Amino acid sequence: MRELLAFLPYALRTALRARTRSVLTLLGAALAMALFAFVRTVDDGVQSLADRADQPVLVVFQDSRFCPLTSELPLRYERTIQDVPGVTAVLPTLVFINSCRSNLDLVTLHGVDANDLERVYPLQFLAGSAADWRAQADGALVGERLAVRRGIAVGQRVRLGEIDVQVAGIVRSETAGVANLAFVHLDLLGLARKRLGTATQFLVTVQDGADPEQIAQAIDAQFRTDEARTDTKGMQAFVAAAIGEIAQVVAFARWLGYLAVLVVALVLANTVFISAESRAAEMGVLETIGLTKPRLMALIACEGIGLGLIGGVLGTAVVLAVLWLRPVTLGVEGYGIDLVPGGATVVHSLLAALLTGALASLPPAIAVARRPLHLVVKAE
């Protein structure tokens, strides 16, 4: 091992001999691994949103509606839902989003009853308090991710969607979507949207041990012949339906990431093969003075692994820097998919880069090992 480490400066000088070729290979590897890291980040964001939606909460939505802006349920439904056996709390919610289509500037407002909010949403206050919010008719509780994207702090007066609000608190929650929305008073949003007496959806918590599916069926049965029929789902199923299309796109993009890694492997293999062929005589001299075939293969592999790993580090670092310096959230029907690269993304990207470099170096290393010594040693 020590002997192999002693050849690292040699491997570095070898790469520097053909600077243009090495730089272009590094750039290609960096771009491909940046694509791989970005796709992994989006994939992790979709999975994180799905995991956070695994809550014991039912969502009562208007039947045959797909966007929160199109669902309109009478507030009087709250009393009927509350009377369904197994229901512990009901939170009528009026929703405003700036666009139902996919966008990168998601703004979601939830108009809710101040007294019932924390019965459904477990909130952690990073700044401000629930008491301050209840005391302000135009107050708002802003999710931490939305606050970061918009540069919002407690005490500021900001315009969110269609209304001006006074920020009374910054909140965090494990519930899906909360990080990218703002809670305002139900009457305030109802006046702004001219929809007093109506709600977009009802969030329903159920008793421990109760069957959510049976409760959902009972709720829908209550309003089957009413002015607005309902469609009740578990929160996880509701979120999955909302982000279904983007999840399919991400699944396709995952294959693009794998394809990018394959292309990098081919480029690295070509670079290492050309480098090894141009140094055939040197390889013969090294073998003559005692370098064994396995060590000779390892020496060849050093160049490919080094180029692949450095390219992977550069590409991953670019993605991390861009997404950390400029937070990005992909909005889909009121739900935000946060593009936040985590430790798992970094590990997967670097492992992919290391494995790509190793696999790309294997064919050139085998070719060098199989070449007879007498064909490469030249007379002085």
Side-chain angles (χ1 to χ4, degrees), residues 36-52 243 246-247 250-251 253-254 258 319-320 323 336-349:
F36 179 82
F38 181 76
V39 171
R40 286 291 313 179
T41 300
V42 178
D43 197 6
D44 290 345
V46 173
Q47 186 60 49
S48 176
L49 180 61
D51 291 342
R52 287 172 177 264
I243 66 172
I246 196 68
V250 171
R254 192 183 303 127
Y258 295 149
V319 172
L320 264 62
L323 294 180
I337 300 172
D338 297 327
L339 306 189
V340 182
T345 299
V346 176
V347 171
H348 290 157
S349 297

PDB file of all heavy atoms in Angstrom, residues 36-52 243 246-247 250-251 253-254 258 319-320 323 336-349:
ATOM      1  N   PHE A  36     -26.865  14.233 -11.513  1.00  0.00           N
ATOM      2  CA  PHE A  36     -27.222  13.105 -10.651  1.00  0.00           C
ATOM      3  C   PHE A  36     -27.594  13.601  -9.249  1.00  0.00           C
ATOM      4  O   PHE A  36     -28.607  13.171  -8.675  1.00  0.00           O
ATOM      5  CB  PHE A  36     -26.042  12.134 -10.561  1.00  0.00           C
ATOM      6  CG  PHE A  36     -26.287  10.945  -9.675  1.00  0.00           C
ATOM      7  CD1 PHE A  36     -26.986   9.846 -10.142  1.00  0.00           C
ATOM      8  CD2 PHE A  36     -25.822  10.930  -8.363  1.00  0.00           C
ATOM      9  CE1 PHE A  36     -27.218   8.751  -9.327  1.00  0.00           C
ATOM     10  CE2 PHE A  36     -26.050   9.840  -7.540  1.00  0.00           C
ATOM     11  CZ  PHE A  36     -26.744   8.744  -8.022  1.00  0.00           C
ATOM     12  N   ALA A  37     -26.796  14.522  -8.693  1.00  0.00           N
ATOM     13  CA  ALA A  37     -27.070  15.046  -7.354  1.00  0.00           C
ATOM     14  C   ALA A  37     -28.376  15.832  -7.323  1.00  0.00           C
ATOM     15  O   ALA A  37     -29.145  15.748  -6.355  1.00  0.00           O
ATOM     16  CB  ALA A  37     -25.913  15.929  -6.888  1.00  0.00           C
ATOM     17  N   PHE A  38     -28.664  16.591  -8.383  1.00  0.00           N
ATOM     18  CA  PHE A  38     -29.896  17.373  -8.424  1.00  0.00           C
ATOM     19  C   PHE A  38     -31.118  16.454  -8.491  1.00  0.00           C
ATOM     20  O   PHE A  38     -32.111  16.675  -7.783  1.00  0.00           O
ATOM     21  CB  PHE A  38     -29.883  18.313  -9.630  1.00  0.00           C
ATOM     22  CG  PHE A  38     -31.108  19.182  -9.724  1.00  0.00           C
ATOM     23  CD1 PHE A  38     -31.259  20.279  -8.903  1.00  0.00           C
ATOM     24  CD2 PHE A  38     -32.117  18.893 -10.635  1.00  0.00           C
ATOM     25  CE1 PHE A  38     -32.394  21.076  -8.979  1.00  0.00           C
ATOM     26  CE2 PHE A  38     -33.249  19.675 -10.714  1.00  0.00           C
ATOM     27  CZ  PHE A  38     -33.390  20.778  -9.885  1.00  0.00           C
ATOM     28  N   VAL A  39     -31.036  15.423  -9.328  1.00  0.00           N
ATOM     29  CA  VAL A  39     -32.159  14.482  -9.426  1.00  0.00           C
ATOM     30  C   VAL A  39     -32.378  13.778  -8.090  1.00  0.00           C
ATOM     31  O   VAL A  39     -33.514  13.582  -7.648  1.00  0.00           O
ATOM     32  CB  VAL A  39     -31.907  13.466 -10.554  1.00  0.00           C
ATOM     33  CG1 VAL A  39     -32.949  12.350 -10.524  1.00  0.00           C
ATOM     34  CG2 VAL A  39     -31.943  14.160 -11.915  1.00  0.00           C
ATOM     35  N   ARG A  40     -31.290  13.408  -7.428  1.00  0.00           N
ATOM     36  CA  ARG A  40     -31.405  12.773  -6.116  1.00  0.00           C
ATOM     37  C   ARG A  40     -32.057  13.725  -5.111  1.00  0.00           C
ATOM     38  O   ARG A  40     -32.867  13.305  -4.278  1.00  0.00           O
ATOM     39  CB  ARG A  40     -30.032  12.366  -5.598  1.00  0.00           C
ATOM     40  CG  ARG A  40     -29.424  11.166  -6.279  1.00  0.00           C
ATOM     41  CD  ARG A  40     -30.141   9.875  -5.965  1.00  0.00           C
ATOM     42  NE  ARG A  40     -30.401   9.715  -4.541  1.00  0.00           N
ATOM     43  CZ  ARG A  40     -31.034   8.683  -4.012  1.00  0.00           C
ATOM     44  NH1 ARG A  40     -31.487   7.733  -4.808  1.00  0.00           N
ATOM     45  NH2 ARG A  40     -31.233   8.597  -2.716  1.00  0.00           N
ATOM     46  N   THR A  41     -31.732  15.011  -5.206  1.00  0.00           N
ATOM     47  CA  THR A  41     -32.313  15.993  -4.297  1.00  0.00           C
ATOM     48  C   THR A  41     -33.814  16.116  -4.513  1.00  0.00           C
ATOM     49  O   THR A  41     -34.596  16.158  -3.547  1.00  0.00           O
ATOM     50  CB  THR A  41     -31.633  17.364  -4.501  1.00  0.00           C
ATOM     51  OG1 THR A  41     -30.233  17.248  -4.234  1.00  0.00           O
ATOM     52  CG2 THR A  41     -32.229  18.409  -3.567  1.00  0.00           C
ATOM     53  N   VAL A  42     -34.240  16.199  -5.776  1.00  0.00           N
ATOM     54  CA  VAL A  42     -35.674  16.273  -6.074  1.00  0.00           C
ATOM     55  C   VAL A  42     -36.380  15.005  -5.614  1.00  0.00           C
ATOM     56  O   VAL A  42     -37.471  15.054  -5.030  1.00  0.00           O
ATOM     57  CB  VAL A  42     -35.910  16.513  -7.575  1.00  0.00           C
ATOM     58  CG1 VAL A  42     -37.397  16.550  -7.885  1.00  0.00           C
ATOM     59  CG2 VAL A  42     -35.248  17.814  -8.028  1.00  0.00           C
ATOM     60  N   ASP A  43     -35.763  13.861  -5.870  1.00  0.00           N
ATOM     61  CA  ASP A  43     -36.340  12.578  -5.454  1.00  0.00           C
ATOM     62  C   ASP A  43     -36.504  12.537  -3.936  1.00  0.00           C
ATOM     63  O   ASP A  43     -37.546  12.120  -3.417  1.00  0.00           O
ATOM     64  CB  ASP A  43     -35.430  11.445  -5.922  1.00  0.00           C
ATOM     65  CG  ASP A  43     -36.130  10.096  -5.897  1.00  0.00           C
ATOM     66  OD1 ASP A  43     -37.343  10.059  -5.625  1.00  0.00           O
ATOM     67  OD2 ASP A  43     -35.466   9.077  -6.143  1.00  0.00           O
ATOM     68  N   ASP A  44     -35.481  12.992  -3.214  1.00  0.00           N
ATOM     69  CA  ASP A  44     -35.559  13.014  -1.747  1.00  0.00           C
ATOM     70  C   ASP A  44     -36.635  13.985  -1.268  1.00  0.00           C
ATOM     71  O   ASP A  44     -37.300  13.733  -0.262  1.00  0.00           O
ATOM     72  CB  ASP A  44     -34.209  13.406  -1.154  1.00  0.00           C
ATOM     73  CG  ASP A  44     -33.154  12.321  -1.335  1.00  0.00           C
ATOM     74  OD1 ASP A  44     -33.534  11.178  -1.656  1.00  0.00           O
ATOM     75  OD2 ASP A  44     -31.954  12.616  -1.174  1.00  0.00           O
ATOM     76  N   GLY A  45     -36.811  15.104  -1.991  1.00  0.00           N
ATOM     77  CA  GLY A  45     -37.844  16.067  -1.615  1.00  0.00           C
ATOM     78  C   GLY A  45     -39.242  15.488  -1.747  1.00  0.00           C
ATOM     79  O   GLY A  45     -40.096  15.691  -0.874  1.00  0.00           O
ATOM     80  N   VAL A  46     -39.483  14.756  -2.825  1.00  0.00           N
ATOM     81  CA  VAL A  46     -40.785  14.109  -3.024  1.00  0.00           C
ATOM     82  C   VAL A  46     -41.022  13.067  -1.944  1.00  0.00           C
ATOM     83  O   VAL A  46     -42.112  12.983  -1.358  1.00  0.00           O
ATOM     84  CB  VAL A  46     -40.862  13.467  -4.423  1.00  0.00           C
ATOM     85  CG1 VAL A  46     -42.134  12.642  -4.566  1.00  0.00           C
ATOM     86  CG2 VAL A  46     -40.813  14.546  -5.504  1.00  0.00           C
ATOM     87  N   GLN A  47     -39.994  12.281  -1.648  1.00  0.00           N
ATOM     88  CA  GLN A  47     -40.137  11.242  -0.628  1.00  0.00           C
ATOM     89  C   GLN A  47     -40.350  11.837   0.754  1.00  0.00           C
ATOM     90  O   GLN A  47     -41.146  11.336   1.557  1.00  0.00           O
ATOM     91  CB  GLN A  47     -38.893  10.344  -0.629  1.00  0.00           C
ATOM     92  CG  GLN A  47     -38.998   9.137   0.284  1.00  0.00           C
ATOM     93  CD  GLN A  47     -40.146   8.233  -0.079  1.00  0.00           C
ATOM     94  OE1 GLN A  47     -40.313   7.876  -1.251  1.00  0.00           O
ATOM     95  NE2 GLN A  47     -40.956   7.856   0.907  1.00  0.00           N
ATOM     96  N   SER A  48     -39.648  12.949   1.045  1.00  0.00           N
ATOM     97  CA  SER A  48     -39.810  13.610   2.345  1.00  0.00           C
ATOM     98  C   SER A  48     -41.229  14.132   2.522  1.00  0.00           C
ATOM     99  O   SER A  48     -41.829  13.997   3.606  1.00  0.00           O
ATOM    100  CB  SER A  48     -38.805  14.756   2.476  1.00  0.00           C
ATOM    101  OG  SER A  48     -38.993  15.470   3.677  1.00  0.00           O
ATOM    102  N   LEU A  49     -41.794  14.720   1.461  1.00  0.00           N
ATOM    103  CA  LEU A  49     -43.165  15.218   1.543  1.00  0.00           C
ATOM    104  C   LEU A  49     -44.140  14.066   1.766  1.00  0.00           C
ATOM    105  O   LEU A  49     -45.075  14.176   2.578  1.00  0.00           O
ATOM    106  CB  LEU A  49     -43.518  15.970   0.264  1.00  0.00           C
ATOM    107  CG  LEU A  49     -44.934  16.561   0.192  1.00  0.00           C
ATOM    108  CD1 LEU A  49     -45.146  17.586   1.299  1.00  0.00           C
ATOM    109  CD2 LEU A  49     -45.190  17.192  -1.176  1.00  0.00           C
ATOM    110  N   ALA A  50     -43.920  12.953   1.082  1.00  0.00           N
ATOM    111  CA  ALA A  50     -44.794  11.793   1.262  1.00  0.00           C
ATOM    112  C   ALA A  50     -44.694  11.241   2.681  1.00  0.00           C
ATOM    113  O   ALA A  50     -45.702  10.862   3.287  1.00  0.00           O
ATOM    114  CB  ALA A  50     -44.439  10.712   0.242  1.00  0.00           C
ATOM    115  N   ASP A  51     -43.483  11.213   3.227  1.00  0.00           N
ATOM    116  CA  ASP A  51     -43.296  10.703   4.589  1.00  0.00           C
ATOM    117  C   ASP A  51     -43.972  11.609   5.617  1.00  0.00           C
ATOM    118  O   ASP A  51     -44.585  11.127   6.579  1.00  0.00           O
ATOM    119  CB  ASP A  51     -41.809  10.585   4.913  1.00  0.00           C
ATOM    120  CG  ASP A  51     -41.123   9.485   4.108  1.00  0.00           C
ATOM    121  OD1 ASP A  51     -41.841   8.612   3.581  1.00  0.00           O
ATOM    122  OD2 ASP A  51     -39.884   9.517   3.990  1.00  0.00           O
ATOM    123  N   ARG A  52     -43.884  12.915   5.426  1.00  0.00           N
ATOM    124  CA  ARG A  52     -44.490  13.848   6.363  1.00  0.00           C
ATOM    125  C   ARG A  52     -46.021  13.803   6.295  1.00  0.00           C
ATOM    126  O   ARG A  52     -46.701  14.222   7.224  1.00  0.00           O
ATOM    127  CB  ARG A  52     -44.018  15.279   6.073  1.00  0.00           C
ATOM    128  CG  ARG A  52     -42.573  15.540   6.481  1.00  0.00           C
ATOM    129  CD  ARG A  52     -42.117  16.903   5.995  1.00  0.00           C
ATOM    130  NE  ARG A  52     -40.760  17.204   6.425  1.00  0.00           N
ATOM    131  CZ  ARG A  52     -40.445  17.908   7.501  1.00  0.00           C
ATOM    132  NH1 ARG A  52     -41.417  18.397   8.258  1.00  0.00           N
ATOM    133  NH2 ARG A  52     -39.195  18.135   7.824  1.00  0.00           N
ATOM    134  N   ILE A 243     -49.530  15.287  -5.823  1.00  0.00           N
ATOM    135  CA  ILE A 243     -48.192  15.348  -6.418  1.00  0.00           C
ATOM    136  C   ILE A 243     -47.932  14.160  -7.344  1.00  0.00           C
ATOM    137  O   ILE A 243     -46.783  13.911  -7.717  1.00  0.00           O
ATOM    138  CB  ILE A 243     -47.108  15.416  -5.328  1.00  0.00           C
ATOM    139  CG1 ILE A 243     -47.090  14.104  -4.516  1.00  0.00           C
ATOM    140  CG2 ILE A 243     -47.323  16.602  -4.420  1.00  0.00           C
ATOM    141  CD1 ILE A 243     -45.924  14.018  -3.548  1.00  0.00           C
ATOM    142  N   ILE A 246     -46.033  15.001 -10.739  1.00  0.00           N
ATOM    143  CA  ILE A 246     -44.631  15.390 -10.567  1.00  0.00           C
ATOM    144  C   ILE A 246     -43.811  14.205 -10.090  1.00  0.00           C
ATOM    145  O   ILE A 246     -42.628  14.069 -10.429  1.00  0.00           O
ATOM    146  CB  ILE A 246     -44.504  16.580  -9.583  1.00  0.00           C
ATOM    147  CG1 ILE A 246     -43.119  17.229  -9.723  1.00  0.00           C
ATOM    148  CG2 ILE A 246     -44.737  16.170  -8.162  1.00  0.00           C
ATOM    149  CD1 ILE A 246     -42.891  17.921 -11.027  1.00  0.00           C
ATOM    150  N   ALA A 247     -44.425  13.299  -9.311  1.00  0.00           N
ATOM    151  CA  ALA A 247     -43.710  12.098  -8.862  1.00  0.00           C
ATOM    152  C   ALA A 247     -43.339  11.218 -10.054  1.00  0.00           C
ATOM    153  O   ALA A 247     -42.254  10.616 -10.085  1.00  0.00           O
ATOM    154  CB  ALA A 247     -44.561  11.322  -7.869  1.00  0.00           C
ATOM    155  N   VAL A 250     -40.382  12.809 -11.779  1.00  0.00           N
ATOM    156  CA  VAL A 250     -39.158  12.573 -11.017  1.00  0.00           C
ATOM    157  C   VAL A 250     -38.663  11.144 -11.223  1.00  0.00           C
ATOM    158  O   VAL A 250     -37.459  10.894 -11.331  1.00  0.00           O
ATOM    159  CB  VAL A 250     -39.397  12.851  -9.517  1.00  0.00           C
ATOM    160  CG1 VAL A 250     -38.212  12.413  -8.678  1.00  0.00           C
ATOM    161  CG2 VAL A 250     -39.667  14.332  -9.297  1.00  0.00           C
ATOM    162  N   ALA A 251     -39.596  10.201 -11.304  1.00  0.00           N
ATOM    163  CA  ALA A 251     -39.208   8.813 -11.557  1.00  0.00           C
ATOM    164  C   ALA A 251     -38.513   8.677 -12.913  1.00  0.00           C
ATOM    165  O   ALA A 251     -37.529   7.928 -13.048  1.00  0.00           O
ATOM    166  CB  ALA A 251     -40.436   7.909 -11.497  1.00  0.00           C
ATOM    167  N   ALA A 253     -36.908  11.211 -14.410  1.00  0.00           N
ATOM    168  CA  ALA A 253     -35.636  11.943 -14.279  1.00  0.00           C
ATOM    169  C   ALA A 253     -34.581  11.094 -13.576  1.00  0.00           C
ATOM    170  O   ALA A 253     -33.378  11.272 -13.821  1.00  0.00           O
ATOM    171  CB  ALA A 253     -35.869  13.247 -13.512  1.00  0.00           C
ATOM    172  N   ARG A 254     -35.021  10.190 -12.703  1.00  0.00           N
ATOM    173  CA  ARG A 254     -34.070   9.317 -12.022  1.00  0.00           C
ATOM    174  C   ARG A 254     -33.268   8.499 -13.025  1.00  0.00           C
ATOM    175  O   ARG A 254     -32.058   8.298 -12.866  1.00  0.00           O
ATOM    176  CB  ARG A 254     -34.823   8.408 -11.064  1.00  0.00           C
ATOM    177  CG  ARG A 254     -33.940   7.652 -10.087  1.00  0.00           C
ATOM    178  CD  ARG A 254     -34.767   6.724  -9.217  1.00  0.00           C
ATOM    179  NE  ARG A 254     -35.796   7.462  -8.494  1.00  0.00           N
ATOM    180  CZ  ARG A 254     -37.077   7.154  -8.502  1.00  0.00           C
ATOM    181  NH1 ARG A 254     -37.500   6.117  -9.218  1.00  0.00           N
ATOM    182  NH2 ARG A 254     -37.945   7.847  -7.799  1.00  0.00           N
ATOM    183  N   TYR A 258     -29.119   8.204 -13.879  1.00  0.00           N
ATOM    184  CA  TYR A 258     -28.333   6.990 -14.080  1.00  0.00           C
ATOM    185  C   TYR A 258     -27.648   7.010 -15.447  1.00  0.00           C
ATOM    186  O   TYR A 258     -26.494   6.548 -15.583  1.00  0.00           O
ATOM    187  CB  TYR A 258     -29.240   5.759 -13.982  1.00  0.00           C
ATOM    188  CG  TYR A 258     -29.848   5.550 -12.620  1.00  0.00           C
ATOM    189  CD1 TYR A 258     -31.107   4.963 -12.473  1.00  0.00           C
ATOM    190  CD2 TYR A 258     -29.183   5.950 -11.463  1.00  0.00           C
ATOM    191  CE1 TYR A 258     -31.668   4.768 -11.218  1.00  0.00           C
ATOM    192  CE2 TYR A 258     -29.737   5.770 -10.212  1.00  0.00           C
ATOM    193  CZ  TYR A 258     -30.988   5.179 -10.098  1.00  0.00           C
ATOM    194  OH  TYR A 258     -31.536   5.002  -8.861  1.00  0.00           O
ATOM    195  N   VAL A 319     -24.127  21.866  -6.806  1.00  0.00           N
ATOM    196  CA  VAL A 319     -25.557  21.700  -6.500  1.00  0.00           C
ATOM    197  C   VAL A 319     -25.842  22.129  -5.070  1.00  0.00           C
ATOM    198  O   VAL A 319     -26.816  22.850  -4.796  1.00  0.00           O
ATOM    199  CB  VAL A 319     -25.988  20.245  -6.740  1.00  0.00           C
ATOM    200  CG1 VAL A 319     -27.414  20.016  -6.240  1.00  0.00           C
ATOM    201  CG2 VAL A 319     -25.902  19.904  -8.218  1.00  0.00           C
ATOM    202  N   LEU A 320     -25.015  21.707  -4.123  1.00  0.00           N
ATOM    203  CA  LEU A 320     -25.208  22.066  -2.724  1.00  0.00           C
ATOM    204  C   LEU A 320     -25.137  23.574  -2.530  1.00  0.00           C
ATOM    205  O   LEU A 320     -25.976  24.170  -1.844  1.00  0.00           O
ATOM    206  CB  LEU A 320     -24.162  21.380  -1.845  1.00  0.00           C
ATOM    207  CG  LEU A 320     -24.590  20.075  -1.170  1.00  0.00           C
ATOM    208  CD1 LEU A 320     -24.927  19.007  -2.214  1.00  0.00           C
ATOM    209  CD2 LEU A 320     -23.492  19.548  -0.249  1.00  0.00           C
ATOM    210  N   LEU A 323     -28.323  25.384  -4.114  1.00  0.00           N
ATOM    211  CA  LEU A 323     -29.579  25.151  -3.409  1.00  0.00           C
ATOM    212  C   LEU A 323     -29.543  25.655  -1.968  1.00  0.00           C
ATOM    213  O   LEU A 323     -30.593  25.930  -1.388  1.00  0.00           O
ATOM    214  CB  LEU A 323     -29.934  23.661  -3.434  1.00  0.00           C
ATOM    215  CG  LEU A 323     -30.249  23.093  -4.824  1.00  0.00           C
ATOM    216  CD1 LEU A 323     -30.593  21.622  -4.732  1.00  0.00           C
ATOM    217  CD2 LEU A 323     -31.398  23.859  -5.478  1.00  0.00           C
ATOM    218  N   GLY A 336     -45.528  22.082  -1.219  1.00  0.00           N
ATOM    219  CA  GLY A 336     -44.180  22.444  -1.615  1.00  0.00           C
ATOM    220  C   GLY A 336     -43.219  21.276  -1.488  1.00  0.00           C
ATOM    221  O   GLY A 336     -43.154  20.626  -0.448  1.00  0.00           O
ATOM    222  N   ILE A 337     -42.483  21.018  -2.558  1.00  0.00           N
ATOM    223  CA  ILE A 337     -41.425  20.007  -2.537  1.00  0.00           C
ATOM    224  C   ILE A 337     -40.112  20.750  -2.350  1.00  0.00           C
ATOM    225  O   ILE A 337     -39.637  21.430  -3.258  1.00  0.00           O
ATOM    226  CB  ILE A 337     -41.418  19.190  -3.841  1.00  0.00           C
ATOM    227  CG1 ILE A 337     -42.755  18.471  -4.019  1.00  0.00           C
ATOM    228  CG2 ILE A 337     -40.271  18.196  -3.856  1.00  0.00           C
ATOM    229  CD1 ILE A 337     -42.914  17.797  -5.365  1.00  0.00           C
ATOM    230  N   ASP A 338     -39.538  20.645  -1.172  1.00  0.00           N
ATOM    231  CA  ASP A 338     -38.325  21.380  -0.846  1.00  0.00           C
ATOM    232  C   ASP A 338     -37.105  20.694  -1.447  1.00  0.00           C
ATOM    233  O   ASP A 338     -36.865  19.508  -1.197  1.00  0.00           O
ATOM    234  CB  ASP A 338     -38.151  21.490   0.673  1.00  0.00           C
ATOM    235  CG  ASP A 338     -39.276  22.281   1.323  1.00  0.00           C
ATOM    236  OD1 ASP A 338     -39.777  23.205   0.670  1.00  0.00           O
ATOM    237  OD2 ASP A 338     -39.644  21.972   2.472  1.00  0.00           O
ATOM    238  N   LEU A 339     -36.324  21.453  -2.214  1.00  0.00           N
ATOM    239  CA  LEU A 339     -35.096  20.916  -2.799  1.00  0.00           C
ATOM    240  C   LEU A 339     -33.948  21.242  -1.853  1.00  0.00           C
ATOM    241  O   LEU A 339     -33.245  22.247  -2.001  1.00  0.00           O
ATOM    242  CB  LEU A 339     -34.866  21.516  -4.183  1.00  0.00           C
ATOM    243  CG  LEU A 339     -36.029  21.371  -5.174  1.00  0.00           C
ATOM    244  CD1 LEU A 339     -35.603  21.800  -6.568  1.00  0.00           C
ATOM    245  CD2 LEU A 339     -36.576  19.951  -5.200  1.00  0.00           C
ATOM    246  N   VAL A 340     -33.787  20.388  -0.857  1.00  0.00           N
ATOM    247  CA  VAL A 340     -32.770  20.581   0.174  1.00  0.00           C
ATOM    248  C   VAL A 340     -31.835  19.375   0.155  1.00  0.00           C
ATOM    249  O   VAL A 340     -32.195  18.296   0.643  1.00  0.00           O
ATOM    250  CB  VAL A 340     -33.403  20.730   1.570  1.00  0.00           C
ATOM    251  CG1 VAL A 340     -32.322  20.981   2.613  1.00  0.00           C
ATOM    252  CG2 VAL A 340     -34.432  21.850   1.586  1.00  0.00           C
ATOM    253  N   PRO A 341     -30.630  19.521  -0.407  1.00  0.00           N
ATOM    254  CA  PRO A 341     -29.712  18.378  -0.437  1.00  0.00           C
ATOM    255  C   PRO A 341     -29.240  18.040   0.974  1.00  0.00           C
ATOM    256  O   PRO A 341     -28.795  18.901   1.721  1.00  0.00           O
ATOM    257  CB  PRO A 341     -28.549  18.872  -1.308  1.00  0.00           C
ATOM    258  CG  PRO A 341     -28.623  20.365  -1.235  1.00  0.00           C
ATOM    259  CD  PRO A 341     -30.070  20.712  -1.046  1.00  0.00           C
ATOM    260  N   GLY A 342     -29.368  16.786   1.340  1.00  0.00           N
ATOM    261  CA  GLY A 342     -28.958  16.342   2.659  1.00  0.00           C
ATOM    262  C   GLY A 342     -27.719  15.476   2.610  1.00  0.00           C
ATOM    263  O   GLY A 342     -27.089  15.292   1.552  1.00  0.00           O
ATOM    264  N   GLY A 343     -27.375  14.919   3.753  1.00  0.00           N
ATOM    265  CA  GLY A 343     -26.187  14.082   3.826  1.00  0.00           C
ATOM    266  C   GLY A 343     -26.285  12.850   2.946  1.00  0.00           C
ATOM    267  O   GLY A 343     -25.290  12.415   2.356  1.00  0.00           O
ATOM    268  N   ALA A 344     -27.499  12.284   2.841  1.00  0.00           N
ATOM    269  CA  ALA A 344     -27.673  11.097   2.010  1.00  0.00           C
ATOM    270  C   ALA A 344     -27.380  11.404   0.541  1.00  0.00           C
ATOM    271  O   ALA A 344     -26.774  10.583  -0.164  1.00  0.00           O
ATOM    272  CB  ALA A 344     -29.094  10.558   2.163  1.00  0.00           C
ATOM    273  N   THR A 345     -27.790  12.594   0.086  1.00  0.00           N
ATOM    274  CA  THR A 345     -27.527  12.976  -1.307  1.00  0.00           C
ATOM    275  C   THR A 345     -26.029  13.068  -1.562  1.00  0.00           C
ATOM    276  O   THR A 345     -25.526  12.607  -2.598  1.00  0.00           O
ATOM    277  CB  THR A 345     -28.197  14.322  -1.615  1.00  0.00           C
ATOM    278  OG1 THR A 345     -29.605  14.199  -1.443  1.00  0.00           O
ATOM    279  CG2 THR A 345     -27.901  14.764  -3.040  1.00  0.00           C
ATOM    280  N   VAL A 346     -25.305  13.678  -0.629  1.00  0.00           N
ATOM    281  CA  VAL A 346     -23.851  13.817  -0.779  1.00  0.00           C
ATOM    282  C   VAL A 346     -23.185  12.449  -0.815  1.00  0.00           C
ATOM    283  O   VAL A 346     -22.340  12.173  -1.676  1.00  0.00           O
ATOM    284  CB  VAL A 346     -23.276  14.671   0.372  1.00  0.00           C
ATOM    285  CG1 VAL A 346     -21.753  14.732   0.281  1.00  0.00           C
ATOM    286  CG2 VAL A 346     -23.860  16.078   0.344  1.00  0.00           C
ATOM    287  N   VAL A 347     -23.568  11.584   0.116  1.00  0.00           N
ATOM    288  CA  VAL A 347     -22.965  10.253   0.175  1.00  0.00           C
ATOM    289  C   VAL A 347     -23.242   9.465  -1.101  1.00  0.00           C
ATOM    290  O   VAL A 347     -22.338   8.852  -1.687  1.00  0.00           O
ATOM    291  CB  VAL A 347     -23.491   9.487   1.413  1.00  0.00           C
ATOM    292  CG1 VAL A 347     -23.031   8.028   1.363  1.00  0.00           C
ATOM    293  CG2 VAL A 347     -22.992  10.149   2.692  1.00  0.00           C
ATOM    294  N   HIS A 348     -24.503   9.484  -1.565  1.00  0.00           N
ATOM    295  CA  HIS A 348     -24.853   8.744  -2.778  1.00  0.00           C
ATOM    296  C   HIS A 348     -24.097   9.282  -3.995  1.00  0.00           C
ATOM    297  O   HIS A 348     -23.634   8.499  -4.843  1.00  0.00           O
ATOM    298  CB  HIS A 348     -26.356   8.837  -3.028  1.00  0.00           C
ATOM    299  CG  HIS A 348     -27.162   8.065  -2.041  1.00  0.00           C
ATOM    300  ND1 HIS A 348     -28.490   8.348  -1.767  1.00  0.00           N
ATOM    301  CD2 HIS A 348     -26.850   7.020  -1.244  1.00  0.00           C
ATOM    302  CE1 HIS A 348     -28.941   7.521  -0.859  1.00  0.00           C
ATOM    303  NE2 HIS A 348     -27.967   6.705  -0.521  1.00  0.00           N
ATOM    304  N   SER A 349     -23.951  10.596  -4.091  1.00  0.00           N
ATOM    305  CA  SER A 349     -23.255  11.188  -5.239  1.00  0.00           C
ATOM    306  C   SER A 349     -21.778  10.826  -5.235  1.00  0.00           C
ATOM    307  O   SER A 349     -21.207  10.477  -6.278  1.00  0.00           O
ATOM    308  CB  SER A 349     -23.425  12.711  -5.215  1.00  0.00           C
ATOM    309  OG  SER A 349     -24.779  13.075  -5.348  1.00  0.00           O
TER     310      SER A 349
END
